[in-house]
Amino acid sequence: MQHRVAAIGGDGIGPEIVAAGKEVLDAAGERFGFDIAWTDFDIGAERYLATGDLLTEEDIRELSKFSAIYFGSIGDTRVKPGVLEKGILLAIRFHFDQYINLRPIKLLEGVTTPLANKRPEDIDFVVVRENTEDFYVGIGSRFKGVREEKTLEVVRDLYSVKFGLDVETDADELAYQIGVITRPGAERVIRYAFDLAGRRQKKLTSVDKANVLSDVYGLWRDVFTDVAAGYPDIATEFNFVDAVTMWFVKNPEWFDVVVTPNMFGDIITDLGAMIQGGLGLAPGGNINPEGTSMFEPIHGSAPKYRGLDVANPLATVWAGSMLLDHIGEHDAAAAVLRAIEQSILDGFVTRDMGGAKKTSEVGQYLAALVRTV
């Protein structure tokens, strides 16, 4: 069987870690009887600096032919922060309506966690983050003056909304950002989380800040409660986002599946990454269950390490395992994760994890392990 997958190395260390990941996934295909036909896309800072192109209509048309995208990293010191991230990464997420951001928080054997009293069986949960709404819809403004009139619009497959604003102030400067949560947008990600919890330990935690931001997150709670009525076998609870940061550290074993709006998901998954061993071990999936999904490490592009062959590829390889799971190659996905764990136990890791191996060497070692573990 052949799977067609798009690959975007992106910036900084991205091309190196994606190359390592592709080698490992190809090895998994050899062992489990499938082939990945890779198509590489030249999307990132280099092209932007040369041509001014971020994500073109042609890019979108071509990417739409794939069910999965394997993405490295984005960001370059030569480009103002936010330009590449919004113009490429967020543009892909929004265009393909990748409304689920899936981030496993799992402590592997051999990994050192800051939570010295916790074992791998204590840290094994999944955060389901809504990925297209909340304060990430990109509507806001910043101005100096007395008055500003503006129309702001959000267009999604599910809906469109316009805000006609007439702002008057005597402040020296004013900035505002509008967060949007809709019932259909919240319902689809919450339902996905309930279905996932049903396949795991049948417990789902909703995270919000409804005690202060009672309109947007009050709606989130209402939707969660309504959807929960259809899943009587799933245990549910609410946590405020400030409290959950404490419980992630004190009692991570309490959690199975966590579902949260976009902004809070962005924050708590970085905390989750740290308790599982750091950003070098943290993968993520941007998922549209009916369309094109994208899998990537959650760390940045580390431009200063570009071309040095020293970057840790494990988060990218783990994201590749998630990609394999998404396209139905479940045994191969499990083998890749076992290989990551074995490589860590063997001490065959890059310097950020206390080893001395190169990016490419780790990729080769993992590929060899995948063929046997």
Side-chain angles (χ1 to χ4, degrees):
M1 182 176 183
Q2 186 179 80
H3 301 284
R4 297 178 64 245
V5 177
I8 302 173
D11 304 324
I13 61 173
E16 300 163 57
I17 56 179
V18 166
K22 288 164 68 175
E23 184 171 5
V24 178
L25 270 58
D26 285 339
E30 292 174 20
R31 177 178 174 186
F32 292 96
F34 63 89
D35 177 62
I36 297 179
W38 298 100
T39 299
D40 295 308
F41 285 79
D42 177 26
I43 297 174
E46 292 297 338
R47 190 182 73 168
Y48 171 70
L49 290 169
T51 68
D53 290 334
L54 289 165
L55 190 70
T56 68
E57 290 297 324
E58 182 180 356
D59 293 333
I60 291 171
R61 282 195 302 271
E62 292 301 311
L63 288 171
S64 67
K65 298 176 182 178
F66 300 87
S67 61
I69 302 169
Y70 199 27
F71 195 97
S73 57
I74 204 76
D76 191 292
T77 54
R78 296 170 295 174
V79 181
K80 183 180 177 180
V83 173
L84 299 169
E85 293 83 355
K86 291 181 180 179
I88 297 175
L89 191 60
L90 292 184
I92 291 174
R93 290 178 183 176
F94 290 153
H95 178 83
F96 292 109
D97 198 23
Q98 295 167 347
Y99 61 88
I100 295 158
N101 184 262
L102 192 65
R103 295 191 177 179
I105 311 299
K106 180 177 175 64
L107 179 64
L108 300 180
E109 291 283 355
V111 174
T112 300
T113 171
L115 310 183
N117 62 329
K118 300 301 180 182
R119 299 162 297 176
E121 56 266 34
D122 297 323
I123 304 175
D124 186 3
F125 60 96
V126 180
V127 177
V128 179
R129 168 190 172 191
E130 199 287 319
N131 209 32
T132 63
E133 294 194 327
D134 206 6
F135 289 97
Y136 288 62
V137 294
I139 52 175
S141 184
R142 176 175 171 177
F143 72 97
K144 297 179 180 179
V146 176
R147 187 172 184 177
E148 179 177 84
E149 296 183 43
K150 182 172 282 192
T151 299
L152 303 172
E153 185 174 14
V154 180
V155 179
R156 296 286 184 268
D157 289 347
L158 291 178
Y159 60 86
S160 64
V161 58
K162 289 184 179 181
F163 295 87
L165 299 178
D166 186 350
V167 183
E168 187 172 343
T169 179
D170 59 0
D172 291 338
E173 188 171 7
L174 182 145
Y176 57 89
Q177 202 83 36
I178 298 176
V180 175
I181 287 180
T182 64
R183 178 169 287 273
E187 181 176 346
R188 61 184 184 174
V189 70
I190 289 171
R191 194 171 298 281
Y192 180 95
F194 269 102
D195 290 338
L196 179 59
R199 300 191 298 271
R200 288 176 52 94
Q201 301 301 314
K202 299 186 182 302
K203 180 181 179 182
L204 181 60
T205 302
S206 176
V207 173
D208 60 50
K209 193 61 179 170
N211 58 334
V212 176
L213 303 172
S214 55
D215 291 314
V216 286
Y217 302 127
L219 174 58
W220 175 272
R221 283 203 171 202
D222 290 346
V223 175
F224 184 90
T225 301
D226 292 345
V227 174
Y231 294 84
D233 59 331
I234 306 294
T236 61
E237 64 178 2
F238 289 107
N239 263 205
F240 294 130
V241 64
D242 46 345
V244 91
T245 59
M246 174 179 67
W247 298 124
F248 271 16
V249 173
K250 187 175 184 295
N251 294 107
E253 66 274 11
W254 287 356
F255 299 99
D256 178 37
V257 178
V258 176
V259 65
T260 180
N262 204 341
M263 183 173 70
F264 300 143
D266 193 2
I267 296 166
I268 67 175
T269 51
D270 274 15
L271 174 58
M274 188 51 61
I275 68 173
Q276 76 181 98
L279 287 176
L281 284 167
N286 303 281
I287 298 171
N288 180 331
E290 294 81 36
T292 300
S293 298
M294 179 169 64
F295 300 85
E296 59 178 330
I298 75 171
H299 59 64
S301 59
K304 66 180 179 180
Y305 297 123
R306 177 182 180 178
L308 300 182
D309 201 22
V310 298
N312 184 352
L314 294 186
T316 307
V317 176
W318 196 338
S321 172
M322 296 177 69
L323 187 156
L324 292 177
D325 208 38
H326 177 74
I327 62 177
E329 300 293 349
H330 308 300
D331 291 340
V336 170
L337 192 54
R338 288 195 302 270
I340 293 172
E341 192 165 51
Q342 188 60 55
S343 181
I344 294 168
L345 289 169
D346 294 344
F348 205 100
V349 292
T350 48
R351 65 188 186 187
D352 62 302
M353 295 187 66
K357 303 304 179 183
K358 296 181 178 180
T359 308
S360 55
E361 291 173 336
V362 173
Q364 293 161 11
Y365 192 73
L366 289 169
L369 286 173
V370 163
R371 296 185 178 97
T372 58
V373 295

